[in-house]
Amino acid sequence: MSKVWAWGALIFGVVYFMLPLIGMTEFSLSMRRGVYSFDAYAAVLADPQFQATFAYSVVMALATIIFGILLVVPTAYWVRLKMPEARPYVEFITLLPLVIPAIVVVFGYIRLYNTSSWLPLTGSVMGTNILLMFGYAMLSLPYMYRSIDTGLRTIDIATLTEAAMSLGAGWVTILARVILPNVLASVLSGAFLTFAIVIGEFTIAALLDRPAFGPYMQILGANRAYEPAALAVIAFGITWACMGLIGLVSRFSRYTQVKR
Amino acid sequence: MAFLEIENLQKTFGDLRVVRDFNLNVEQGEFISFLGPSGCGKTTTLRMVAGFETPTAGSIRIGGKDVVNVKPNQRNIGMVFQSYALFPNLTVAQNVTFGLKVAGRDKATIDTRLKEMLTMIGLPDLGERYPFQLSGGQQQRVALARALAPAPQVLLLDEPLSALDAQIRVSLRSEIRAIQQKLGITTVYVTHDQEEALSMSDRIVVMHRGIADQIGTPVEIYNHPATRFVANFVGTLNQIEATVADPERGVVEVAGQSLALERKLSHPKGASVALAFRPQALHMGKGEGEIPVRGRISEVQFLGAVIRLKVDVGEASISLDAFNRAGAELPVTGSELTLSIAPSDILVLGD
Amino acid sequence: MPGQTEAARRLELRWLGLLPFAVFSVLFLILPTLYIVIGAFQTPQGGFTFQNILDLNTPSIRSAYWVSIKVSFASALLGCLIGFAMAAAITIGGLPKRIREPLLTFSGVASNFAGVPLAFAFIATIGPAGLITLQLKSELGINLRAMGWNLLSTPGLVITYLFFQIPLMILIITPALDGLKKEWREAAAILGASGRQYWIMVGLPILFPSLLGTLALLFANAFGAVATAIALTGPSLNIAPILLYAQIRGDVLGNPHLGYALAFGMIVITGIANAIYIRLRARSERWLK
Ligand SMILES: Nc1ncnc2c1ncn2[C@@H]1O[C@H](COP(=O)(O)OP(=O)(O)O)[C@@H](O)[C@H]1O
Ligand SMILES: [Mg+2]
């Protein structure tokens, strides 16, 4: 039957994807000679550097998510409600981070916001942290915007807004109490994706010289044998969890949301 | 021997019996409609003729040759889909000549045929357009030309007009029929729209739950429905329950009134039957040689050219249409009146 | 006229709603990029010049771009082919429906599993001491190393990049394959076409813009990837993003404006690839709407 090629393609793909996953798992368990052990994981988890950089990246991810929501939800809402003519432009800008390599943008950051510039963000630790967060927000903008905009499309924001306004709600109340809860699933999807991107991000953090998880992994990889494999397994687990949560959220919202 | 013969055709999907025992003979050049509600198995039957579904049992013969095991691309059949299904990457001309090209015809033949087809569907200048540049009606014309270009022995159309606006639907209806008659091509047309079926077909197959309930000309189907289902599905129908009083003389009783149908009834005395008749068969007042029926007006609907009345006769409610003549008074709700109907216009439906 | 000024003020207020987004994207996306682009055409004194662009034409920089383009193109092409075969297998290949959702979910995960950990996974598998390398040696007596295999090379980079290229292709092309209507295949069949003729005349031409567009997107995707390459090969491999990385850290080119030109070249290449993608996607959407 002609199904043979289909099975062939599928099996080829499955083998290609499984081998590195098996390889890294096996390697991460092989720190002790001759037997499988969790030594590599223990070593990684006990490393104060790991704890510090991981915590740093988690905090950065959360800050990025909060900033992203505060930036994107009102913007996407406003474009849909009041400025449909601005839509192509806004969409174009949100797609730019996929076109311009991140390394180029961060190059610009370093030159534009150095100590002698009008906005010397890289002059202080806090300033650099904020710059890094903006960089992450830029990186996740395409995903955040697409996700939230899709969510807004499924609800009738004009009617919701009018109804809320007729009850005396202001803009902040409308956004926080009416719009946000209605697009929560899409916001969460965008948030989990942002988390997956930010947690292991390397380029921007390394070039801004921040002690994030991505650069830590790279340094560890250059100096150790088994710990990097353990880190890869952990990172894969985090990515998987984020994607799983996205799937869960969208499935859940399918049942709770009323179709227009 | 008929040109297209379908015998004891059956199709089941799992436990679902979609086509039960379908028999039909279509003569060469005949236009046949499958008419029935959605889900009754029309498309499935058509797709078995096309070769996209394999019958669970039964045979399909075209020109005397059994085609059940012939692949769709060997059957020499033309088909028009509800969703047009034009190839979006090809121009109108390329779509229309697709069948000729895969058959390996020479360029001269293809060009002549293309001109012929585009002229036939009234779009001689649109050959270079892409489907997305055409209206729905134009697309369906092109789909018809594409199906007819290779000169198939049978043309199948599956609700080709359902996706179109009412106006285009009516005009395209007569165009399709005209083209079919000009080419004399054997055609099976699937629709759930009785008006379409009645106005276009040589014969209609009324389908119901996977069976052909009745096969007949539009006039036969409309005036002499064989089953309650056909009577109800085709046209508006009044039905009143009646009791047979005298089968020999054809007298029945309805709400205390005796009606003489002037024909023998096969039902025994005391049996309950349904009397069925079209709204337009009734008229107000008394008529020569007609049956008078008394009732009370319960509703008056003014529809412009026509006034539709609902009249209570005993327990039953029947509707009738009266023409709106200038100067005539509108009937008043609640008033009593006498209606008349010719005995031959009343159908007696058993169970 | 008072009515007009009122309307004008409304309009301004409307624009005000976009202010935060505008400020953010100007400050942290557009200005930084423009700074680089303008810098690429400036002398150290600030005058206009094409010299920086011309100076890119050194053997080392040329080879960096060239290797980058080769790696990106090879991984994009292979990613397209393999991804297409897999997507076709789960859509029109007649495989059990149960396979589809897990594969798409996995593709979502794998397409996001890039960067440093991905490099680790491949080092652990086909690196010098990796699982497969050792197994092949001890079980089958095949010495990959002796056969010239080296993960820290362009083929190694291509194989590694495929881990996110293939799933990305699957995610993008599956909807396009779903968009091939059953009726087109049936219409072609009833008109006498064989399966092959259908694919050559209808199926593939309809998919072509999507395929080519995705190829461009995958190319840009690989071209801008820095982390995987650095974690895999260290800062030594001479490809454009690594060279730029080294330039940003320590001005290895000895000329900041040459660095801007290097970055500008990357924008141009990814920009062209993305423009191709967007154009072709618009074309296939016009057909399929
Ligand atoms: N491939 C299939 N698998 C299972 N059930 C089907 C399939 N095709 C049609 N059916 C079922 O068969 C019945 C008749 O379908 P169809 O022939 O399309 O009806 P119609 O065209 O008269 O509306 C419907 O209940 C439909 O759900
Ligand atoms: Mg149907």
Side-chain angles (χ1 to χ4, degrees):
Chain A
M1 266 287 281
S2 62
K3 272 187 197 175
V4 173
W5 69 263
W7 280 113
L10 188 75
I11 289 167
F12 175 87
V14 168
V15 168
Y16 169 78
F17 284 108
M18 288 320 292
L19 280 179
L21 299 180
I22 294 170
M24 73 182 185
T25 312
E26 215 261 3
F27 212 76
S28 72
L29 298 172
S30 312
M31 196 170 184
R32 201 179 299 174
R33 233 167 227 296
V35 289
Y36 285 141
S37 72
F38 287 103
D39 286 7
Y41 294 88
V44 164
L45 294 176
D47 183 355
Q49 282 274 54
F50 167 82
Q51 296 163 3
T53 56
F54 193 77
Y56 177 86
S57 281
V58 169
V59 171
M60 286 311 292
L62 295 180
T64 305
I65 288 167
I66 291 167
F67 176 79
I69 293 173
L70 289 179
L71 179 72
V72 172
V73 173
T75 304
Y77 165 77
W78 195 252
V79 168
R80 276 209 172 264
L81 188 66
K82 300 265 177 178
M83 311 218 52
E85 72 271 23
R87 209 181 141 77
Y89 306 103
V90 172
E91 265 180 10
F92 178 75
I93 290 173
T94 62
L95 288 178
L96 277 181
L98 296 179
V99 179
I100 308 167
I103 188 170
V104 175
V105 181
V106 72
F107 193 11
Y109 286 1
I110 292 168
R111 291 301 145 95
L112 209 51
Y113 302 117
N114 60 27
T115 42
S116 56
S117 81
W118 60 279
L119 187 61
L121 282 174
T122 57
S124 65
V125 169
M126 202 54 212
T128 317
N129 286 343
I130 289 173
L131 186 58
L132 180 60
M133 187 200 74
F134 285 150
Y136 286 163
M138 180 273 299
L139 213 54
S140 60
L141 190 60
Y143 309 100
M144 205 66 166
Y145 194 90
R146 267 261 298 272
S147 175
I148 289 172
D149 195 47
T150 313
L152 285 174
R153 198 172 57 201
T154 60
I155 61 172
D156 188 353
I157 53 171
T159 309
L160 281 178
T161 305
E162 273 167 25
M165 280 185 136
S166 71
L167 296 172
W171 288 114
V172 176
T173 317
I174 292 175
L175 276 170
R177 308 276 299 272
V178 180
I179 300 299
L180 193 61
N182 271 296
V183 293
L184 196 60
S186 349
V187 169
L188 285 178
S189 294
F192 290 130
L193 201 53
T194 303
F195 191 89
I197 293 168
V198 168
I199 194 74
E201 202 283 334
F202 169 77
T203 314
I204 305 182
L207 287 173
L208 290 180
D209 239 340
R210 298 311 304 145
F213 188 49
Y216 165 78
M217 285 195 286
Q218 191 259 334
I219 293 165
L220 198 76
N223 301 316
R224 299 289 183 82
Y226 298 99
E227 287 91 335
L231 281 178
V233 173
I234 293 171
F236 190 78
I238 293 172
T239 311
W240 190 284
C242 287
M243 296 300 133
L245 285 170
I246 290 173
L248 209 65
V249 165
S250 55
R251 194 164 318 154
F252 182 67
S253 73
R254 218 178 295 152
Y255 293 120
T256 55
Q257 210 164 45
V258 182
K259 280 260 148 48
R260 246 220 280 181
Chain B
M1 193 179 67
F3 185 63
L4 170 63
E5 297 168 298
I6 303 176
E7 239 175 70
N8 301 329
L9 195 66
Q10 297 186 28
K11 180 72 188 176
T12 53
F13 292 112
D15 292 338
L16 191 66
R17 292 180 64 194
V18 175
V19 177
R20 284 157 187 252
D21 183 22
F22 191 93
N23 291 284
L24 175 68
N25 288 327
V26 184
E27 298 300 330
Q28 178 111 43
E30 212 180 358
F31 191 115
I32 294 270
S33 289
F34 291 179
L35 175 65
S38 169
C40 70
K42 307 180 297 289
T43 297
T44 306
T45 308
L46 199 72
R47 288 171 59 81
M48 285 191 280
V49 176
F52 298 134
E53 307 281 359
T54 314
T56 311
S59 72
I60 301 170
R61 280 190 298 277
I62 300 177
K65 184 173 160 249
D66 193 328
V67 294
V68 165
N69 292 316
V70 179
K71 284 197 190 134
N73 61 0
Q74 307 294 332
R75 288 196 186 190
N76 192 18
I77 285 177
M79 183 152 175
V80 175
F81 299 80
Q82 180 177 350
S83 58
Y84 325 137
L86 292 177
F87 306 129
N89 59 316
L90 302 181
T91 61
V92 166
Q94 290 167 327
N95 264 286
V96 172
T97 56
F98 186 92
L100 299 168
K101 219 167 269 170
V102 297
R105 299 299 182 78
D106 62 279
K107 192 162 165 357
T109 316
I110 291 178
D111 286 348
T112 337
R113 190 73 178 150
L114 171 65
K115 276 224 188 65
E116 219 176 293
M117 286 292 133
L118 290 183
T119 314
M120 183 186 79
I121 57 168
L123 304 173
D125 305 322
L126 298 189
E128 295 315 306
R129 297 259 188 107
Y130 281 91
F132 73 91
Q133 296 167 315
L134 302 180
S135 71
Q138 289 173 328
Q139 289 191 48
Q140 199 56 297
R141 278 168 221 246
V142 174
L144 181 65
R146 179 179 70 177
L148 290 173
Q153 26 178 6
V154 178
L155 177 65
L156 309 176
L157 303 104
D158 190 358
E159 312 217 9
L161 305 180
S162 304
L164 299 172
D165 301 340
Q167 232 172 13
I168 301 167
R169 208 146 58 198
V170 173
S171 66
L172 210 48
R173 201 194 272 174
S174 42
E175 239 174 277
I176 291 178
R177 175 61 162 159
I179 289 173
Q180 184 269 335
Q181 281 181 323
K182 188 171 142 236
L183 301 180
I185 185 169
T186 313
T187 302
V188 180
Y189 186 103
V190 162
T191 180
H192 64 260
D193 181 338
Q194 40 157 318
E195 217 179 285
E196 248 171 62
L198 291 171
S199 64
M200 298 172 84
S201 321
D202 292 320
R203 282 191 298 154
I204 297 175
V205 179
V206 183
M207 284 186 70
H208 178 43
R209 298 209 189 121
I211 315 180
D213 256 31
Q214 185 176 2
I215 302 177
T217 64
V219 174
E220 284 167 2
I221 297 279
Y222 193 85
N223 290 341
H224 305 288
T227 66
R228 266 181 201 236
F229 172 78
V230 176
N232 274 317
F233 189 73
V234 182
T236 321
L237 199 75
N238 288 306
Q239 283 195 42
I240 317 182
E241 294 299 325
T243 317
V244 177
D246 184 346
E248 277 303 309
R249 285 174 34 234
V251 176
V252 296
E253 287 202 348
V254 177
Q257 307 179 39
S258 290
L259 310 180
L261 301 179
E262 301 178 355
R263 66 188 118 137
K264 270 191 175 176
L265 296 175
S266 55
H267 306 267
K269 186 176 157 72
S272 65
V273 292
L275 305 184
F277 44 91
R278 303 287 176 196
Q280 63 269 31
L282 279 169
H283 63 90
M284 288 188 277
K286 291 190 175 151
E288 189 67 20
E290 295 183 332
I291 308 172
V293 184
R294 283 184 311 283
R296 178 193 295 273
I297 299 178
S298 65
E299 197 184 319
V300 180
Q301 273 179 31
F302 183 69
L303 302 175
V306 169
I307 299 165
R308 179 158 293 175
L309 304 177
K310 285 237 164 80
V311 178
D312 289 340
V313 179
E315 301 279 280
S317 171
I318 60 180
S319 63
L320 77 141
D321 293 348
F323 284 110
N324 175 25
R325 288 191 210 91
E329 264 180 56
L330 268 182
V332 185
T333 309
S335 59
E336 301 255 348
L337 82 173
T338 301
L339 305 168
S340 311
I341 183 167
S344 60
D345 282 340
I346 298 182
L347 303 164
V348 180
L349 301 173
D351 297 272
Chain C
M1 287 199 284
Q4 210 167 12
T5 47
E6 175 69 11
R9 222 182 53 220
R10 270 283 175 74
L11 193 70
E12 275 165 37
L13 273 177
R14 248 167 19 115
W15 280 102
L16 223 53
L18 288 186
L19 195 62
F21 176 78
V23 168
F24 172 79
S25 45
V26 165
L27 281 186
F28 297 103
L29 182 58
I30 295 167
L31 267 189
T33 312
L34 275 183
Y35 187 92
I36 302 292
V37 172
I38 292 169
F41 293 96
Q42 273 180 339
T43 61
Q45 289 72 38
F48 176 84
T49 180
F50 275 118
Q51 197 55 47
N52 302 317
I53 307 293
L54 297 175
D55 285 348
L56 287 178
N57 193 13
T58 67
S60 148
I61 296 178
R62 225 175 32 222
S63 121
Y65 272 124
W66 182 232
V67 175
S68 267
I69 289 173
K70 271 197 304 195
V71 168
S72 307
F73 187 74
S75 75
L77 191 65
L78 284 172
C80 268
L81 290 176
I82 301 169
F84 180 72
M86 293 180 68
I90 56 165
T91 48
I92 54 180
L95 297 190
K97 290 219 165 27
R98 287 171 282 124
I99 296 177
R100 184 188 159 107
E101 277 313 307
L103 185 69
L104 289 180
T105 308
F106 179 82
S107 298
V109 177
S111 65
N112 281 294
F113 183 62
V116 182
L118 175 62
F120 293 167
F122 274 84
I123 290 172
T125 309
I126 47 174
L131 178 72
I132 293 185
T133 318
L134 296 183
Q135 288 284 326
L136 283 180
K137 204 173 188 175
S138 63
E139 304 295 324
L140 300 173
I142 300 172
N143 189 344
L144 282 180
R145 215 183 172 109
M147 291 164 67
W149 169 250
N150 179 10
L151 179 63
L152 318 183
S153 65
T154 48
L157 222 47
V158 170
I159 287 193
T160 310
Y161 282 6
L162 283 179
F163 200 88
F164 55 79
Q165 300 280 58
I166 294 173
L168 199 56
M169 176 69 179
I170 294 178
L171 289 178
I172 297 178
I173 210 71
T174 298
L177 281 163
D178 286 338
L180 285 181
K181 291 199 195 124
K182 195 182 73 178
E183 282 91 347
W184 292 333
R185 210 196 254 253
E186 291 179 350
I190 203 80
L191 286 165
S194 65
R196 224 178 99 87
Q197 281 171 320
Y198 161 74
W199 276 108
I200 291 173
M201 295 171 76
V202 181
L204 284 177
I206 290 174
L207 288 177
F208 191 67
S210 308
L211 287 172
L212 207 63
T214 314
L215 182 72
L217 185 76
L218 295 191
F219 178 87
N221 191 34
F223 198 85
V226 181
T228 313
I230 287 184
L232 199 62
T233 66
S236 58
L237 190 73
N238 191 26
I239 60 173
I242 292 186
L243 186 60
L244 182 58
Y245 184 83
Q247 164 69 10
I248 298 172
R249 297 218 89 162
D251 195 12
V252 291
L253 300 173
N255 174 0
H257 287 269
L258 191 53
Y260 300 151
L262 185 66
F264 174 69
M266 287 186 64
I267 298 179
V268 169
I269 292 173
T270 55
I272 290 173
N274 274 286
I276 292 174
Y277 169 64
I278 290 166
R279 268 211 71 118
L280 290 173
R281 201 185 57 176
R283 181 157 160 201
S284 71
E285 270 171 8
R286 193 184 61 179
W287 277 352
L288 300 176
K289 73 164 192 265

